[in-house]
Amino acid sequence: MDPFPPDAPQSLSSGGTSPEQPNDGSAMAASLTGAASSSASTSQAPAAAAGPTVPAACLACRSKHLKCDGFTPCSRCTSSNQECIYVASRRGYKGPRRNTAQNPNKRHASSSPPSSTGVSDAASCPMMLGAPPVSLPTTGFNPAVVLPGTPATTAYAQTPAPLSQMALFRNPFGSSIDQTSMALAAASTGAPPPPTSSVGERCLDAYYHYFFSAHPNVLPKEHLLRFIKDHPGRLDHLVAAMRYIGSLFLDVGPARAMYFDEAIRLAYLPTCPKDGFLVQTLLMLIVALDGSCNQERARQLLGDCERIAVEIGLNTRHFATEHGHGNRVLEESWRRTWWDLFVVDGMVAGVHRMTNFLLFDVPADVALPCEEHEYISGEIPTPMYIEDFDDQLFSGEDREFSSFAYRVAAARNLGRFMRCPPILFPEDENLAKIESLLTNWRMHLPQAKRDDLTKGCQLDEMMFQAHFITHACSILLHQPHSQLDSSPARSVNSCAPHSVVPTGDAFNSHTRHTITAACEISKMVTQAVPLLSHTHFFTCVITLSSIVHLSKWALFYIQDEEDLRQQIRLNIGALGKLSDVWKAAGTAAGQVKGVAQEIYRAKKAQQINPAFWVGFTQEEMISSLNADEGIMAEFDSMLQVVPQVTQPPTTQ
């Protein structure tokens, strides 16, 4: 069964009410109840007491609401000397009707002839009290669960109770029945149910809205839904993982843990095929677990994911063609899956410094991904390869490479840095080689790739990640040889263990590289795009930048102290915003804010000593004192305590 309900607009046929009945819920309840009791008493009376059956009443008797004997002319029209006219029944007519019933509380039993099929009204009309219950079709592979505030017609609700157990009420928006009754009526007439937005649909939409652009390896939504329809049940684990990711951005109650458990359970079933879809499932779970401060479990899944990817040959050129089934979008998805796994492996190794970027040493000849708009539209160009990217300057061919390709190149530079032997001295030639790689990457960027926005001023998330990977690599390369004492920020270890950097007497070139990269990362926070649209790895890059800012601010005297404090404020605010979804960001924000407050108190204590003000002009002294007045209160108000949602269990 297709786990996605149809997206087309739904309608409700009028199989349950006659157009002659007024749109009044209370009247309908009274009239239907009266009709049911009247029908029961009539069935028990003798047939002679029921009187002759009248197929229809004439217009004169109808207008006066009088019983008609059915003769032509009838006895009432004969006695009153009126024209006796009969018209065909309007039962089932859906058009407008003039002169509707004057008494909305009276049921017009003679407005239509009795059913000729012999089926009682209660059985043929599911909206009548006492009708047999109609089961709604359920969708999706997940077990039913009732969520707070979820409509009863969602894919995750239990089958509704029989209508006889439900109270009909008057809807203030003009509907005479509730949504469940509408769904029951629609099911009985064969019409699709009324349009609803289930929890699963909302989570899937949230996945594509918030997360897809940061790790765009799965099929675009339209192609994914088509594949699911053509291959029911094959992507259950992938859909569960996508819904889990989407649930991180929504308030869906217990569904979040349910989706995580379902994704893990299905992914690790012995019968689950080891293919590219399984790699995609594990990859998004790795990112989510890492952002939820479950780094150890994320590393376990990363090891499994890498092993499966290499076993099935995802790193080979022919994999996409052999497993794409002639679908160019699916082929592109396989190429993106490998390179996204490659980049994630590098970012985990770079920001946490607990793994060694295993995939950097795995031979891969997979074609490079295309631009994002080409992938979304399905217009996939002829792919290019990493050797084309490396030789573009010397081949003389004017080729345009995608933002994803520059993201891959930035991750490769990070891998080359991590493969260098320990750089013990600033004059080490390996340090100069890595800096040449980073500088060349920046210098040879096309004009359209120099910032993080597309030509339409939309966020280019692939270039955004490529830039912050390069800036982070520059800090990791130069900070150990700078003269910024890292000890003041030693407690900021949410992403990586503290790295000891000794202090120095002057700002050397490595200090300048480190500070410049940290400032560029802070500048990226100011992009006019939602912070939650970025990958959660940006959290650790901001934290790395904050460590540099704090180390510099802890110096005895710096000239641009106010600008520096603004950058620290900016970083803390960004981490606070990211903590709405990612628990790791909340932890990092608390640590950075705590160190900032410690440094501020130490500086305030130094101001008591008159020697502190040597070299300050009177204007500078007043400016510094005024700036210090509100900084503590501002730090306290910048980051409120964010309630952390209980993360799903991590047992396999």
Side-chain angles (χ1 to χ4, degrees):
M1 183 178 293
D2 186 0
F4 296 94
D7 293 328
Q10 313 293 328
S11 61
L12 178 65
S13 65
S14 58
T17 58
S18 170
E20 299 178 29
Q21 296 176 352
N23 192 14
D24 191 321
S26 59
M28 178 179 287
S31 61
L32 293 182
T33 306
S37 61
S38 174
S39 176
S41 61
T42 304
S43 62
Q44 295 174 0
T53 301
V54 179
C58 68
L59 292 180
C61 292
R62 283 192 191 184
S63 63
K64 298 178 182 179
H65 307 299
L66 297 175
K67 185 173 180 61
C68 184
D69 57 15
F71 293 105
T72 306
C74 71
S75 58
R76 296 186 187 277
C77 291
T78 302
S79 60
S80 60
N81 196 22
Q82 291 182 347
E83 185 178 9
C84 189
I85 300 175
Y86 290 88
V87 296
S89 172
R90 296 167 61 90
R91 185 177 184 86
Y93 175 64
K94 297 180 178 61
R97 179 174 176 83
R98 297 179 180 178
N99 300 327
T100 55
Q102 298 175 359
N103 184 2
N105 294 318
K106 183 173 181 179
R107 184 170 185 262
H108 302 270
S110 61
S111 62
S112 58
S115 173
S116 60
T117 60
V119 181
S120 65
D121 288 342
S124 62
C125 178
M127 286 185 288
M128 291 185 64
L129 295 177
V134 181
S135 299
L136 288 178
T138 57
T139 58
F141 59 87
N142 296 288
V145 58
V146 179
L147 301 176
T150 304
T153 54
T154 63
Y156 304 96
Q158 301 286 358
T159 302
L163 191 60
S164 59
Q165 302 174 12
M166 296 181 179
L168 291 174
F169 60 93
R170 181 174 180 83
N171 192 309
F173 297 99
S175 176
S176 61
I177 51 178
D178 61 7
Q179 292 296 322
T180 304
S181 304
M182 293 174 64
L184 289 170
S188 68
T189 58
T196 59
S197 180
S198 69
V199 175
E201 288 174 318
R202 289 193 293 116
C203 290
L204 199 65
D205 289 340
Y207 171 86
Y208 278 100
H209 181 76
Y210 291 103
F211 190 84
F212 177 75
S213 62
H215 298 278
N217 55 74
V218 301
L219 288 169
K221 187 175 182 180
E222 178 184 351
H223 297 272
L224 179 74
L225 297 182
R226 189 181 303 126
F227 191 94
I228 291 172
K229 183 178 180 180
D230 296 339
H231 305 83
R234 182 175 176 184
L235 302 188
D236 285 355
H237 53 82
L238 178 63
V239 174
M242 295 171 71
R243 287 172 171 168
Y244 166 63
I245 296 291
S247 72
L248 296 175
F249 300 88
L250 303 174
D251 183 11
V252 295
R256 180 178 301 167
M258 181 189 73
Y259 292 142
F260 179 85
D261 292 340
E262 191 77 0
I264 288 290
R265 181 183 67 82
L266 293 173
Y268 280 92
L269 281 177
T271 56
C272 182
K274 289 183 172 57
D275 55 13
F277 293 117
L278 180 58
V279 174
Q280 292 175 348
T281 298
L282 295 178
L283 180 55
M284 65 181 68
L285 292 177
I286 291 165
V287 175
L289 287 171
D290 190 85
S292 302
C293 290
N294 202 331
Q295 297 170 6
E296 182 59 36
R297 180 63 171 141
R299 285 196 292 270
Q300 293 175 4
L301 264 65
L302 180 60
D304 295 339
C305 187
E306 290 171 340
R307 184 181 66 255
I308 294 171
V310 175
E311 284 179 359
I312 65 177
L314 190 62
N315 58 314
T316 59
R317 178 176 301 196
H318 58 79
F319 181 91
T321 305
E322 291 180 357
H323 297 83
H325 308 293
N327 186 331
R328 301 195 69 178
V329 178
L330 185 57
E331 293 176 5
E332 174 69 11
S333 176
W334 296 142
R335 293 190 287 266
R336 287 168 168 265
T337 301
W338 167 257
W339 287 121
D340 199 32
L341 177 60
F342 178 86
V343 173
V344 168
D345 188 22
M347 287 196 286
V348 169
V351 300
H352 297 313
R353 283 162 270 177
M354 300 292 289
T355 57
N356 61 355
F357 199 174
L358 176 65
L359 294 185
F360 180 77
D361 299 320
V362 175
D365 55 359
V366 183
L368 292 170
C370 63
E371 293 285 9
E372 302 310 296
H373 67 88
E374 295 171 333
Y375 183 46
I376 299 299
S377 65
E379 299 176 357
I380 312 298
T382 302
M384 292 180 283
Y385 294 85
I386 200 70
E387 53 265 26
D388 300 325
F389 185 90
D390 292 337
D391 298 339
Q392 59 180 317
L393 187 63
F394 308 104
S395 63
E397 299 180 7
D398 187 14
R399 298 182 176 182
E400 293 186 4
F401 291 87
S402 67
S403 298
F404 205 133
Y406 285 99
R407 177 183 181 233
V408 171
R412 291 171 72 217
N413 288 340
L414 176 62
R416 290 175 177 134
F417 161 69
M418 298 185 68
R419 288 299 178 270
C420 279
I423 301 176
L424 302 177
F425 305 101
E427 298 80 12
D428 195 313
E429 63 177 4
N430 287 320
L431 192 152
K433 290 179 180 178
I434 301 301
E435 179 53 42
S436 296
L437 290 174
L438 300 178
T439 303
N440 275 324
W441 184 91
R442 286 188 290 261
M443 286 180 59
H444 295 289
L445 282 176
Q447 187 63 36
K449 305 295 183 184
R450 292 187 182 275
D451 55 30
D452 311 320
L453 298 177
T454 64
K455 294 179 180 178
C457 289
Q458 300 296 319
L459 171 68
D460 187 343
E461 176 66 21
M462 295 295 95
M463 282 310 302
F464 186 91
Q465 294 184 24
H467 282 294
F468 79 58
I469 290 173
T470 302
H471 295 322
C473 188
S474 183
I475 293 176
L476 295 176
L477 176 66
H478 292 286
Q479 186 186 22
H481 310 286
S482 70
Q483 282 136 332
L484 294 174
D485 184 7
S486 64
S487 59
R490 58 186 175 274
S491 61
V492 183
N493 55 11
S494 59
C495 289
H498 172 250
S499 178
V500 178
V501 177
T503 187
D505 297 329
F507 278 9
N508 58 16
S509 62
H510 301 288
T511 307
R512 183 173 297 277
H513 276 294
T514 304
I515 293 174
T516 300
C519 292
E520 289 296 322
I521 292 171
S522 294
K523 190 185 301 182
M524 297 180 77
V525 175
T526 65
Q527 288 280 14
V529 295
L531 282 170
L532 292 178
S533 63
H534 302 311
T535 177
H536 96 275
F537 289 108
F538 189 43
T539 293
C540 289
V541 175
I542 295 175
T543 305
L544 187 62
S545 167
S546 301
I547 292 174
V548 175
H549 292 329
L550 293 171
S551 300
K552 181 181 177 183
W553 192 30
L555 296 176
F556 180 74
Y557 170 72
I558 51 176
Q559 223 170 8
D560 56 346
E561 183 170 359
E562 179 56 30
D563 293 338
L564 186 58
R565 289 192 295 197
Q566 291 293 348
Q567 290 179 324
I568 295 173
R569 291 188 186 103
L570 195 63
N571 284 11
I572 295 176
L575 292 172
K577 181 60 178 177
L578 289 167
S579 68
D580 290 346
V581 173
W582 304 113
K583 183 180 178 182
T587 304
Q591 293 179 355
V592 172
K593 178 182 138 181
V595 172
Q597 290 174 329
E598 289 180 5
I599 294 175
Y600 173 77
R601 293 189 186 100
K603 283 184 170 289
K604 288 294 289 184
Q606 290 175 351
Q607 292 180 7
I608 301 175
N609 186 353
F612 175 82
W613 299 106
V614 174
F616 279 81
T617 65
Q618 184 176 6
E619 183 179 351
E620 289 174 339
M621 291 173 60
I622 295 174
S623 176
S624 179
L625 290 171
N626 289 336
D628 289 343
E629 287 296 327
I631 191 170
M632 285 298 290
E634 187 173 346
F635 276 145
D636 288 333
S637 62
M638 282 173 62
L639 181 64
Q640 301 297 330
V641 177
V642 179
Q644 298 296 337
V645 180
T646 303
Q647 296 299 319
T650 58
T651 55
Q652 185 172 323

